[in-house]
Amino acid sequence: MSLSLLRGAGAALILSLSTMLNPVLAGAVTDPHSHANSAEVRTTHIVLDLDVDFAKSQLRGTAEIQFQKLKADADRIVLDTRALDVRSAEASSDGTTWTAASFTLGSDDAVLGQALTVRLPAGATRVRIGYATRPAASGLQWLKPAQTAGKKQPFLFSQSQAIHARSWIPLQDSPAVRATYEARIKTPKGLRAVMSAEMSDAPDAAGRWTFRMPQPIPSYLIAIAVGDLAFQSTGPRTGVYAEPATLKAAAWEFAETETTVALCEKLFGPYRWGRYDLLVLPPSFPYGGMENPRLTFVTPTVITGDRQLVSLIAHELAHSWSGNLVTNATWEDFWLNEGFTEYLTFRLTEAQFGKARGDMERVLGVAELKSAMDLAASDEDRKLKRAFPSKDPDEVFSSIPYQRGALFLVYLESKFGRDAFDAFLRGWFDSHAFQSATSEQFLAYLDTQLIKPKPGVVTQAQINAWVSQPPLPSDAVYASSDALTTVDAARDAWLAGTTPIAAMGASQWTVQQWEHFFEGFPKTASAARLKELDAAFKLSGNGNAIIASHWYALAVSSGQVAMVLPAMTEYLGRVGRMKLISPIYRELAATDAGRAQAKAIFTKQGGGYHPIAQQAVERIINGG
Ligand code: BES
Ligand code: ZN
């Protein structure tokens, strides 16, 4: 039953019962990372009309924000912006007649950017902002042709998560606010625009591509890319967009995606987004993948020619449930997105490729967690539910919400049994579909659905230890992997001098085994040992960026920078995926001499990094 509540005179306000009962929808949750007054005025639909100007590295045009008033007497809407040139603001009650509206831009906060406050005339249901982005917009990267695979055309892509959408669209930039969107994007001839939405196959006569996202999504999932893009289908619902030079290899690598979608549906409920396509970005893409709805953005470093890294696709696809369907209400609840997604990924990998491969990924996840726990700047960062009101989400980003979150769910599964836990998870997604949720909401749901109905299985104190206390609970459930234990034995025997290098069997190893090999490698090995390793497996200049990254970090931490410097410098100028470059810069920055080298390399090679990656590297080499 939906109870309607009418308030206000002219503009009637309709709130359903579920809206009033949900603290996020009712505006009771404050997002420390947004200026928006979304408790009073809430965005419902966004219309973008933008020109892509490569000569000026600028997006230019208008953003229309349609809204609903939660407070009938609200007389302004506050939007988030960062480094936008705002030219005009208009308001309208019907979308046809527009009148100029007065607006102010607030002071510039280093983390949040500037609030854009627009006065609302009585009866206004939408505002329209005329604006242009700046070349250094934190959420956009403008690539020169030389930075692409084809080398002929420029490329543009966005990265809105966590709080970068505001650097290319003035909007209420909080994951607690969900809106549908549509867009018209004008590109230069010969270049194709794609977005996280339903897309047109061809531009109109004026060169505009049109898009429509009919499901309400949080702002961090609005995404765009423009370049020389071609498409290849991999199944009825799946396909790959990439530069022509990359397309064939990408389509082969990701050919199993359709199967993964079907598996997901079997485990977690219907896929609610229509198509699931992938977009392969140039190597400066700062992440492994980004779960933009209908169109996951992915780094080319997972195209290794052996399909060994496709669990990254499973991860981004799993976000279609954990994240895109049920979203963290604020960035303090980030583990609800990433911890759930990692857990779902383990389940998918196991179902698609067998338990051994699933367990291997679980063990690697735990290793990542342990090193992230050691690296964490504070105990606050070690908890699942965190409070970091004054900090940039990018700055506190780590594997902890991912791997500790996943381990928490593994723990719950082990306590309640897989069948009961699967039903519970599916219930969580179905009952919170297209909503944003807090950790507290999840814990309340857990309490009513599992803990209370099955008394004596898990106590509140145990839950609390997982979510709100820094140390890892001692009753965590860990997987083990024979394939990785074998690697330990091989590495240790070779290092001890008991067996020759060829006896390690490393030529048969998967990339996961290589990762494990490096993770357990002492930093005290001699130059001769490292040279032997490099010679045997051609690690310097290795085409697999994951292996190359581990190798360079190891050489640096062992005091052997000179051994790898030319290859490492070339690598650091080509790859911009943070996870694959930060560890190298971190190892370099561990000594004074290395820090100077890191600065020199960054000055020479960092110009091609995404603004987010540039910031991350600067934090590392400046001692952050
Ligand atoms: N949503 C994240 C990427 C992200 C997180 C971007 C926070 C900005 C802020 C994405 O789903 C992700 O987790 N990517 C991982 C891959 C994964 C297999 C763990 C990555 O990029 O490494
Ligand atoms: Zn993720």
Side-chain angles (χ1 to χ4, degrees):
M1 185 192 78
S2 168
L3 183 105
S4 291
L5 176 86
L6 256 59
R7 263 209 280 147
L13 175 68
I14 300 172
L15 287 177
S16 72
L17 181 60
S18 69
T19 301
M20 291 189 296
L21 291 178
N22 181 317
V24 179
L25 295 177
V29 174
T30 6
D31 179 350
H33 293 108
S34 172
H35 286 300
N37 62 338
S38 45
E40 289 147 24
V41 178
R42 170 83 43 109
T43 306
T44 55
H45 185 67
I46 300 171
V47 185
L48 300 173
D49 201 331
L50 297 171
D51 279 13
V52 182
D53 187 337
F54 279 99
K56 290 189 175 153
S57 298
Q58 183 184 70
L59 292 179
R60 194 173 50 243
T62 57
E64 175 184 330
I65 310 289
Q66 300 178 8
F67 53 79
Q68 177 195 30
K69 283 189 179 178
L70 300 184
K71 292 229 165 68
D73 57 353
D75 62 355
R76 68 195 65 196
I77 182 167
V78 184
L79 306 176
D80 292 294
T81 74
R82 180 186 294 128
L84 291 183
D85 289 319
V86 176
R87 294 167 175 181
S88 63
E90 300 160 287
S92 171
S93 56
D94 56 8
T96 313
T97 315
W98 293 87
T99 51
S102 69
F103 67 93
T104 53
L105 267 176
S107 61
D108 193 9
D109 181 280
V111 174
L112 302 187
Q114 290 175 283
L116 170 62
T117 305
V118 184
R119 283 246 159 227
L120 299 177
T125 58
R126 60 201 75 200
V127 294
R128 189 165 67 188
I129 313 297
Y131 72 101
T133 63
R134 305 235 181 106
S138 63
L140 298 176
Q141 189 176 17
W142 298 87
L143 296 175
K144 304 235 154 23
Q147 292 172 278
T148 67
K151 314 278 180 216
K152 291 210 178 73
Q153 296 279 13
F155 202 104
L156 162 71
F157 68 88
S158 67
Q159 169 55 45
S160 296
Q161 196 182 11
I163 54 171
H164 298 284
R166 64 190 67 176
S167 75
W168 64 284
I169 308 170
L171 42 48
Q172 295 190 311
D173 197 9
S174 168
V177 178
R178 306 179 80 96
T180 50
Y181 81 86
E182 65 192 283
R184 273 181 303 278
I185 307 291
K186 187 164 188 293
T187 64
K189 235 185 151 137
L191 295 186
R192 175 170 198 158
V194 292
M195 291 189 84
S196 52
E198 293 172 10
M199 322 201 237
S200 56
D201 281 336
D204 65 13
R208 285 183 312 210
W209 301 82
T210 54
F211 303 90
R212 193 178 79 98
M213 170 43 79
Q215 286 94 347
I217 58 166
S219 54
Y220 76 89
L221 294 175
I222 305 180
I224 187 171
V226 179
D228 180 12
L229 291 172
F231 175 78
Q232 190 170 321
S233 168
T234 57
R237 279 186 290 185
T238 57
V240 181
Y241 291 88
E243 288 187 68
T246 318
L247 185 61
K248 207 168 151 234
W252 184 86
E253 197 82 27
F254 305 132
E256 293 158 327
T257 308
E258 190 77 37
T259 311
T260 322
V261 178
L263 259 177
C264 263
E265 291 197 296
K266 211 169 121 206
L267 286 169
F268 318 126
Y271 180 74
R272 293 161 168 94
W273 306 90
R275 292 195 56 83
Y276 181 72
D277 293 316
L278 301 172
L279 170 70
V280 180
L281 279 302
S284 66
F285 185 58
Y287 290 98
M290 177 64 216
E291 67 273 25
N292 299 314
R294 295 178 66 98
L295 185 66
T296 281
F297 283 23
V298 47
T299 170
T301 61
V302 295
I303 304 175
T304 48
D306 55 15
R307 294 184 184 162
Q308 274 179 18
L309 295 174
V310 293
S311 67
L312 184 135
I313 305 301
H315 174 103
E316 305 312 335
L317 171 62
H319 272 306
S320 306
W321 287 261
S322 47
N324 301 6
L325 188 62
V326 184
T327 307
N328 49 215
T330 75
W331 299 113
E332 298 178 337
D333 306 301
F334 187 49
W335 75 277
L336 288 182
N337 271 15
E338 297 298 348
F340 275 60
T341 298
E342 270 302 275
Y343 172 79
L344 302 189
T345 308
F346 293 150
R347 297 290 306 276
L348 284 170
T349 303
E350 186 178 310
Q352 194 164 4
F353 303 110
K355 187 161 185 313
R357 191 154 157 187
D359 283 348
M360 190 155 71
E361 304 265 357
R362 288 174 193 242
V363 172
L364 288 173
V366 169
E368 233 181 66
L369 174 59
K370 299 227 156 128
S371 73
M373 291 290 273
D374 288 345
L375 262 176
S378 74
D379 266 350
E380 194 58 39
D381 294 344
R382 297 190 173 93
K383 303 174 185 170
L384 285 181
K385 169 80 187 184
R386 291 180 299 174
F388 50 93
S390 59
K391 283 202 186 158
D392 187 334
D394 287 348
E395 199 183 325
V396 299
F397 179 84
S398 89
S399 294
I400 295 170
Y402 288 75
Q403 302 302 339
R404 183 175 180 149
L407 263 192
F408 176 38
L409 300 191
V410 167
Y411 170 80
L412 292 175
E413 183 206 318
S414 82
K415 291 288 183 192
F416 293 102
R418 186 164 273 196
D419 289 348
F421 192 64
D422 282 358
F424 164 78
L425 266 188
R426 202 177 158 143
W428 167 248
F429 294 137
D430 286 341
S431 60
H432 292 75
F434 299 107
Q435 295 179 22
S436 303
T438 60
S439 300
E440 291 72 20
Q441 272 173 284
F442 173 70
L443 294 179
Y445 187 80
L446 177 65
D447 195 48
T448 55
Q449 300 297 315
L450 279 180
I451 297 185
K452 285 228 173 75
K454 298 184 197 249
V457 179
V458 175
T459 65
Q460 280 304 337
Q462 284 168 315
I463 300 291
N464 190 48
W466 272 101
V467 178
S468 305
Q469 281 166 27
L472 260 189
S474 54
D475 54 353
V477 181
Y478 297 109
S480 70
S481 159
D482 290 345
L484 297 183
T485 311
T486 308
V487 170
D488 288 327
R491 181 209 315 105
D492 297 349
W494 173 64
L495 281 171
T498 19
T499 55
I501 198 159
M504 290 203 305
S507 51
Q508 305 298 317
W509 284 350
T510 63
V511 62
Q512 288 81 2
Q513 288 176 297
W514 274 107
E515 288 198 79
H516 187 71
F517 173 78
F518 285 116
E519 270 153 14
F521 206 97
K523 297 184 175 181
T524 49
S526 68
R529 288 307 15 219
L530 294 182
K531 274 217 175 85
E532 194 186 349
L533 202 59
D534 193 10
F537 304 111
K538 297 200 172 46
L539 298 175
S540 294
N542 199 287
N544 186 312
I546 287 88
I547 293 176
S549 167
H550 277 285
W551 164 241
Y552 299 138
L554 172 65
V556 172
S557 68
S558 310
Q560 303 300 333
V561 180
M563 194 184 291
V564 296
L565 193 60
M568 182 176 83
T569 306
E570 185 278 332
Y571 169 90
L572 289 172
R574 182 166 40 86
V575 177
R577 180 178 170 192
M578 290 189 284
K579 198 174 181 178
L580 301 185
I581 61 171
S582 298
I584 305 175
Y585 281 108
R586 211 173 287 121
E587 293 297 350
L588 280 168
T591 64
D592 287 344
R595 188 182 296 267
Q597 249 161 340
K599 285 186 179 169
I601 295 174
F602 179 64
T603 306
K604 187 168 158 229
Q605 305 287 62
Y609 296 165
H610 189 282
I612 297 172
Q614 289 193 357
Q615 269 214 343
V617 174
E618 277 164 9
R619 272 196 289 267
I620 293 169
I621 60 183
N622 296 326

